[in-house]
Amino acid sequence: VAIVTPYKKGGYEVDESALRSLLQYFNQPKFRDAGGGMVINPEAGEVFYLSREEKKRNVEIAVEECRGKMPVFAGVIGLTTAEAVDVAIDAQEAGAEGVFLIPPIGAMDVAGSWDAEKYPEVWIDMAKAIKDAVDLPAIAHPVASTTPAFGIGLPLSATLKMIEEVPDFVGWKMTYSHEGFRKLARALRELDQHVGIFGACAVFFHEALALDMFDGTVTGSFNYAMEPMIDHINAWRENDVKRAREIWDNGLAELHEYVYSEWSRLHIRYKAATWLRGLIPHPYMRPPQPRPQRKEVDTLRTLLVNTGLNVIDEGEMEEVLKGF
């Protein structure tokens, strides 16, 4: 699970108590027995707006709650390579068992206009510096400038070059369009080393599982729909196609389709849905991240109920919304 970061009212302070409660929720046997693991400080956790101190503290809390129960990988991001290296060292010192590598952030040169296929060294150089500083396995969060072939995922040639030059990857998060997913998955299967195909967009999981292109996942969708998602994955593992279809068609597909229908609202909807499940006390994002709109809250609540998931009662929901 790429876990969300709960905040206290207003979004300016991490709610450590709520974070512990959410971590404990994922420590239940249903998640652990399915092979569950934890990514603390992912993009879904608004890592780009956390201070270095907050990132380290979140890792400490995750390790305290999950040690010996499930592996903990820590998101690594920074405005500079040196800052990202420091964050990785902090994570290792706090007890993380792996790093979740996120590409550089900044101006057009390394963000929105970055041509990852032509200039893959922009991220490779940072990844090398991080791996030189810490001795931990890595999962990639390979977002890049949008391309027709691969969507928002790192193109194939850059992916292969990254894995060749930084050979410590155990998993590759599939942040790709459907077509790009298939191309990357086939290429990963052909490597001499094993790099796990980790589904990202839960809306594609049914097809990915049917195609046997699913070694695992790193997704924020577990925050709001863990139970039916685990049941769906297990049905495919058992080759029970009928059961898998029933779960998928009984509201889960529609729920994911709405959550993933607008990329700019993805993490907002993750958190709002997690709150509606009663797993965190508020859906506050850290500004300038916007708050969920009323129509999003109402739509998510309906879709969660239609999927058979428990939600908070309307009175509790309205009380929180009054504070917005």
Side-chain angles (χ1 to χ4, degrees):
V1 56
I3 198 167
V4 300
T5 301
Y7 294 115
K8 294 182 179 178
K9 188 173 181 179
Y12 293 101
E13 184 181 352
V14 175
D15 189 334
E16 293 190 2
S17 176
L19 178 58
R20 287 186 186 277
S21 178
L22 187 57
L23 288 161
Q24 290 161 9
Y25 164 77
F26 284 105
N27 269 325
Q28 63 178 283
K30 187 177 188 75
F31 189 69
R32 293 201 317 268
D33 293 350
M38 180 62 56
V39 177
I40 190 75
N41 299 334
E43 188 176 25
E46 300 164 70
V47 64
F48 32 80
Y49 291 137
L50 294 173
S51 69
R52 177 181 172 185
E53 293 74 21
E54 287 174 324
K55 293 183 188 108
K56 184 174 184 179
R57 180 58 184 154
N58 283 355
V59 177
E60 291 171 344
I61 292 170
V63 169
E64 288 170 11
E65 296 295 338
C66 300
R67 188 185 295 279
K69 300 171 185 174
M70 67 177 77
V72 176
F73 277 65
V76 174
I77 194 171
L79 284 172
T80 65
T81 295
E83 182 182 334
V85 168
D86 286 340
V87 169
I89 293 171
D90 287 346
Q92 182 170 255
E93 291 177 348
E97 296 164 90
V99 288
F100 183 59
L101 296 189
I102 302 170
I105 55 176
M108 291 188 298
D109 314 52
V110 295
S113 299
W114 173 38
D115 186 336
E117 196 156 24
K118 192 173 181 180
Y119 306 107
E121 70 276 6
V122 170
W123 189 19
I124 290 174
D125 289 349
M126 174 181 272
K128 284 181 175 178
I130 292 167
K131 294 307 295 175
D132 285 344
V134 298
D135 183 23
L136 293 172
I139 297 172
H141 180 59
V143 290
S145 301
T146 304
T147 61
F150 299 102
I152 62 170
L154 192 73
L156 176 58
S157 62
T159 296
L160 296 178
K161 188 171 180 61
M162 169 73 90
I163 293 171
E164 177 186 355
E165 297 198 22
V166 187
D168 296 317
F169 285 104
V170 296
W172 202 264
K173 183 177 177 180
M174 304 298 283
T175 57
Y176 295 90
S177 63
H178 199 279
E179 288 293 321
F181 187 112
R182 292 206 301 265
K183 291 176 184 176
L184 259 293
R186 290 193 183 103
L188 292 177
R189 285 278 191 259
E190 293 172 0
L191 293 174
D192 291 334
Q193 70 186 87
H194 176 73
V195 179
I197 299 168
F198 286 0
C201 306
V203 71
F204 295 151
F205 283 9
H206 195 60
E207 292 88 344
L209 285 155
L211 293 170
D212 193 26
M213 292 182 173
F214 190 96
D215 298 326
T217 172
V218 176
T219 181
S221 290
F222 278 136
N223 286 285
Y224 62 83
M226 182 270 285
E227 298 90 345
M229 289 175 66
I230 293 295
D231 291 342
H232 179 247
I233 291 168
N234 283 338
W236 275 111
R237 285 174 171 174
E238 296 161 7
N239 289 317
D240 189 343
V241 178
K242 181 180 179 182
R243 177 64 178 148
R245 286 175 178 164
E246 287 174 350
I247 297 167
W248 190 249
D249 293 335
N250 191 35
L252 188 58
E254 286 186 89
L255 174 60
H256 289 328
E257 284 165 5
Y258 177 71
V259 170
Y260 287 86
S261 63
E262 294 182 81
W263 291 115
S264 68
R265 309 297 292 184
L266 178 63
H267 300 126
I268 298 163
R269 292 175 183 178
Y270 280 169
K271 183 169 275 188
T274 307
W275 160 62
L276 287 168
R277 288 292 319 280
L279 299 174
I280 57 175
H282 303 286
Y284 287 102
M285 310 291 286
R286 176 165 284 181
Q289 286 275 86
R291 299 168 179 176
Q293 296 182 352
R294 178 59 193 250
K295 64 181 180 181
E296 289 176 302
V297 171
D298 289 340
T299 301
L300 285 167
R301 192 175 194 280
T302 297
L303 291 170
L304 289 165
V305 170
N306 290 346
T307 309
L309 291 162
N310 295 327
V311 296
I312 60 176
D313 63 45
E314 289 192 41
E316 184 179 348
M317 182 183 80
E318 294 297 340
E319 189 63 30
V320 171
L321 291 176
K322 282 180 185 177
F324 272 39

PDB file of all heavy atoms in Angstrom, residues 79 104-114:
ATOM      1  N   LEU A  79      14.397  18.152  -3.619  1.00  0.00           N
ATOM      2  CA  LEU A  79      14.549  19.164  -4.663  1.00  0.00           C
ATOM      3  C   LEU A  79      15.912  19.080  -5.335  1.00  0.00           C
ATOM      4  O   LEU A  79      16.070  19.471  -6.480  1.00  0.00           O
ATOM      5  CB  LEU A  79      14.334  20.559  -4.080  1.00  0.00           C
ATOM      6  CG  LEU A  79      12.883  20.942  -3.794  1.00  0.00           C
ATOM      7  CD1 LEU A  79      12.814  22.259  -3.044  1.00  0.00           C
ATOM      8  CD2 LEU A  79      12.085  21.026  -5.094  1.00  0.00           C
ATOM      9  N   PRO A 104      13.414  13.070 -10.054  1.00  0.00           N
ATOM     10  CA  PRO A 104      13.676  14.443  -9.631  1.00  0.00           C
ATOM     11  C   PRO A 104      12.467  15.347  -9.838  1.00  0.00           C
ATOM     12  O   PRO A 104      11.640  15.115 -10.728  1.00  0.00           O
ATOM     13  CB  PRO A 104      14.845  14.872 -10.527  1.00  0.00           C
ATOM     14  CG  PRO A 104      15.496  13.608 -10.945  1.00  0.00           C
ATOM     15  CD  PRO A 104      14.397  12.609 -11.049  1.00  0.00           C
ATOM     16  N   ILE A 105      12.374  16.368  -9.001  1.00  0.00           N
ATOM     17  CA  ILE A 105      11.317  17.361  -9.148  1.00  0.00           C
ATOM     18  C   ILE A 105      11.966  18.734  -9.315  1.00  0.00           C
ATOM     19  O   ILE A 105      13.104  18.951  -8.897  1.00  0.00           O
ATOM     20  CB  ILE A 105      10.371  17.382  -7.937  1.00  0.00           C
ATOM     21  CG1 ILE A 105      11.144  17.587  -6.622  1.00  0.00           C
ATOM     22  CG2 ILE A 105       9.565  16.105  -7.869  1.00  0.00           C
ATOM     23  CD1 ILE A 105      10.254  17.703  -5.394  1.00  0.00           C
ATOM     24  N   GLY A 106      11.253  19.655  -9.952  1.00  0.00           N
ATOM     25  CA  GLY A 106      11.813  20.986 -10.131  1.00  0.00           C
ATOM     26  C   GLY A 106      11.241  21.681 -11.351  1.00  0.00           C
ATOM     27  O   GLY A 106      10.061  21.534 -11.675  1.00  0.00           O
ATOM     28  N   ALA A 107      12.086  22.407 -12.057  1.00  0.00           N
ATOM     29  CA  ALA A 107      11.663  23.213 -13.200  1.00  0.00           C
ATOM     30  C   ALA A 107      11.362  22.319 -14.409  1.00  0.00           C
ATOM     31  O   ALA A 107      11.441  21.094 -14.349  1.00  0.00           O
ATOM     32  CB  ALA A 107      12.748  24.225 -13.543  1.00  0.00           C
ATOM     33  N   MET A 108      11.045  22.971 -15.520  1.00  0.00           N
ATOM     34  CA  MET A 108      10.681  22.221 -16.729  1.00  0.00           C
ATOM     35  C   MET A 108      11.763  21.233 -17.138  1.00  0.00           C
ATOM     36  O   MET A 108      11.463  20.146 -17.646  1.00  0.00           O
ATOM     37  CB  MET A 108      10.436  23.189 -17.885  1.00  0.00           C
ATOM     38  CG  MET A 108       9.201  24.051 -17.743  1.00  0.00           C
ATOM     39  SD  MET A 108       8.872  24.994 -19.244  1.00  0.00           S
ATOM     40  CE  MET A 108      10.344  26.020 -19.356  1.00  0.00           C
ATOM     41  N   ASP A 109      13.021  21.586 -16.888  1.00  0.00           N
ATOM     42  CA  ASP A 109      14.142  20.754 -17.321  1.00  0.00           C
ATOM     43  C   ASP A 109      14.073  19.334 -16.778  1.00  0.00           C
ATOM     44  O   ASP A 109      14.501  18.381 -17.433  1.00  0.00           O
ATOM     45  CB  ASP A 109      15.474  21.365 -16.857  1.00  0.00           C
ATOM     46  CG  ASP A 109      15.578  22.851 -17.120  1.00  0.00           C
ATOM     47  OD1 ASP A 109      14.654  23.579 -16.713  1.00  0.00           O
ATOM     48  OD2 ASP A 109      16.583  23.269 -17.712  1.00  0.00           O
ATOM     49  N   VAL A 110      13.558  19.176 -15.555  1.00  0.00           N
ATOM     50  CA  VAL A 110      13.546  17.865 -14.914  1.00  0.00           C
ATOM     51  C   VAL A 110      12.146  17.434 -14.497  1.00  0.00           C
ATOM     52  O   VAL A 110      11.994  16.473 -13.756  1.00  0.00           O
ATOM     53  CB  VAL A 110      14.470  17.846 -13.671  1.00  0.00           C
ATOM     54  CG1 VAL A 110      15.910  18.050 -14.072  1.00  0.00           C
ATOM     55  CG2 VAL A 110      14.049  18.875 -12.641  1.00  0.00           C
ATOM     56  N   ALA A 111      11.133  18.117 -14.976  1.00  0.00           N
ATOM     57  CA  ALA A 111       9.767  17.753 -14.592  1.00  0.00           C
ATOM     58  C   ALA A 111       8.879  17.724 -15.836  1.00  0.00           C
ATOM     59  O   ALA A 111       8.992  16.829 -16.666  1.00  0.00           O
ATOM     60  CB  ALA A 111       9.232  18.734 -13.542  1.00  0.00           C
ATOM     61  N   GLY A 112       8.016  18.705 -16.001  1.00  0.00           N
ATOM     62  CA  GLY A 112       6.988  18.661 -17.028  1.00  0.00           C
ATOM     63  C   GLY A 112       7.495  18.512 -18.451  1.00  0.00           C
ATOM     64  O   GLY A 112       6.842  17.881 -19.277  1.00  0.00           O
ATOM     65  N   SER A 113       8.647  19.079 -18.774  1.00  0.00           N
ATOM     66  CA  SER A 113       9.153  19.028 -20.146  1.00  0.00           C
ATOM     67  C   SER A 113      10.328  18.079 -20.319  1.00  0.00           C
ATOM     68  O   SER A 113      10.954  18.040 -21.375  1.00  0.00           O
ATOM     69  CB  SER A 113       9.583  20.445 -20.599  1.00  0.00           C
ATOM     70  OG  SER A 113       8.483  21.322 -20.583  1.00  0.00           O
ATOM     71  N   TRP A 114      10.637  17.314 -19.302  1.00  0.00           N
ATOM     72  CA  TRP A 114      11.769  16.391 -19.353  1.00  0.00           C
ATOM     73  C   TRP A 114      11.550  15.313 -20.412  1.00  0.00           C
ATOM     74  O   TRP A 114      10.544  14.607 -20.392  1.00  0.00           O
ATOM     75  CB  TRP A 114      11.949  15.760 -17.977  1.00  0.00           C
ATOM     76  CG  TRP A 114      12.964  14.657 -17.901  1.00  0.00           C
ATOM     77  CD1 TRP A 114      14.168  14.582 -18.544  1.00  0.00           C
ATOM     78  CD2 TRP A 114      12.852  13.455 -17.134  1.00  0.00           C
ATOM     79  NE1 TRP A 114      14.819  13.420 -18.220  1.00  0.00           N
ATOM     80  CE2 TRP A 114      14.025  12.698 -17.343  1.00  0.00           C
ATOM     81  CE3 TRP A 114      11.879  12.945 -16.268  1.00  0.00           C
ATOM     82  CZ2 TRP A 114      14.258  11.468 -16.745  1.00  0.00           C
ATOM     83  CZ3 TRP A 114      12.099  11.728 -15.664  1.00  0.00           C
ATOM     84  CH2 TRP A 114      13.271  10.997 -15.902  1.00  0.00           C
TER      85      TRP A 114
END
